[in-house]
Amino acid sequence: WIGVLGVPGMTAWFGLKRVATLKLGDRVLVTSAAGPVGATAAQVARSLGASRVVGTASGADKASWLRTEAGLEAIIDYKTTSDLVADLKEASPEGYDVLFDNVGNAMIDAVIPLLRPGGRIVISGQLADYNTTSGNMPGITNTRYFIASRLRMEGLVVFDDLKAFPAAQEELGAMIERGEVKVREQRYRGLEAAPQAFIDLFVDSAFGRRIIEISAEAG
């Protein structure tokens, strides 16, 4: 349930397949692309025929893994860039058809003008906004593009797709077996390692799904 064939992978799968209605040749931007959901979404998009997949992430280790292992065309480090929008434009000069967002409102607002006609925004998570009070939450101001470019934005709760999990897990599992989707996990042994696992969530050099083994596996 917490691994790639559980909630993270299914969120990526149905976010792309049902919400984004991913099409062959789409140009896809995935934010927080080194996270469990983002990394899966980026690779699934590529495997399903996206013509270009770009990600945002922080840190050289994440960028290297996303390029060499996950096969993304470009990675934008949102912490070091001096002009996020310019870098996103350069990474995909023809714009984006799908934004798979795990970050929040400020990121969405920056990307909206870069979306092509008929673009789709998938709201998967809000990492930058979860701990922000409502009065300080950044807004979305570029709404005029929704009319001119016929954009669509939709969130998802993956348990709405629970009945379709088995078929999706079979397809995603086959992609993993074929090497089309790489899985990165950080495993910790013993419940006493839980604090360190939590701390590592905020360290750029440590990434991948955090799994704490609290007992030996049966068999």
Side-chain angles (χ1 to χ4, degrees):
W1 283 102
I2 63 173
V4 70
L5 291 178
V7 170
M10 294 298 95
T11 299
W13 184 269
F14 291 105
L16 289 170
K17 296 275 282 186
R18 177 175 62 79
V19 181
T21 59
L22 187 73
K23 300 177 177 63
L24 193 67
D26 275 347
R27 297 158 181 82
V28 179
L29 172 62
V30 179
T31 62
S32 189
V37 176
T40 307
Q43 294 178 86
V44 167
R46 186 199 61 211
S47 183
L48 293 176
S51 63
R52 189 165 187 80
V53 182
V54 176
T56 68
S58 62
D61 290 342
K62 292 178 183 177
S64 176
W65 186 86
L66 288 168
R67 286 196 190 92
T68 60
E69 297 293 327
L72 275 66
E73 277 77 17
I75 309 298
I76 310 302
D77 191 325
Y78 63 91
K79 286 188 177 179
T80 61
T81 179
S82 59
D83 192 330
L84 175 65
V85 173
D87 285 348
L88 290 172
K89 283 182 180 179
E90 183 179 356
S92 183
E94 296 181 350
Y96 299 92
D97 300 287
V98 174
L99 166 61
F100 193 105
D101 185 60
N102 298 291
V103 174
N105 288 357
M107 179 67 75
I108 294 168
D109 206 45
V111 175
I112 286 173
L114 307 181
L115 293 173
R116 293 158 54 85
R120 290 87 71 200
I121 303 169
V122 181
I123 308 299
S124 169
Q126 295 183 306
L127 292 173
D129 295 341
Y130 285 140
N131 295 322
T132 304
T133 60
S134 58
N136 295 316
M137 185 78 71
I140 294 177
T141 63
N142 283 315
T143 54
R144 65 185 183 278
Y145 290 94
F146 279 84
I147 299 172
S149 297
R150 288 82 164 173
L151 306 180
R152 177 167 60 84
M153 181 166 64
E154 183 178 345
L156 79 155
V157 175
V158 74
F159 294 111
D160 292 343
D161 299 287
L162 192 59
K163 291 182 179 179
F165 272 26
Q169 288 164 332
E170 184 174 348
E171 288 191 63
L172 180 54
M175 289 180 177
I176 295 170
E177 289 181 347
R178 293 193 298 266
E180 297 170 9
V181 174
K182 305 292 178 63
V183 178
R184 183 181 172 101
E185 294 179 342
Q186 295 286 336
R187 288 184 173 262
Y188 302 78
R189 293 189 180 277
L191 191 59
E192 64 275 9
Q196 187 61 54
F198 180 78
I199 291 168
D200 286 349
L201 289 170
F202 307 97
V203 178
D204 286 342
S205 60
F207 63 100
R209 193 60 169 173
R210 269 57 168 197
I211 296 178
I212 301 168
E213 299 173 356
I214 58 174
S215 62
E217 292 187 15

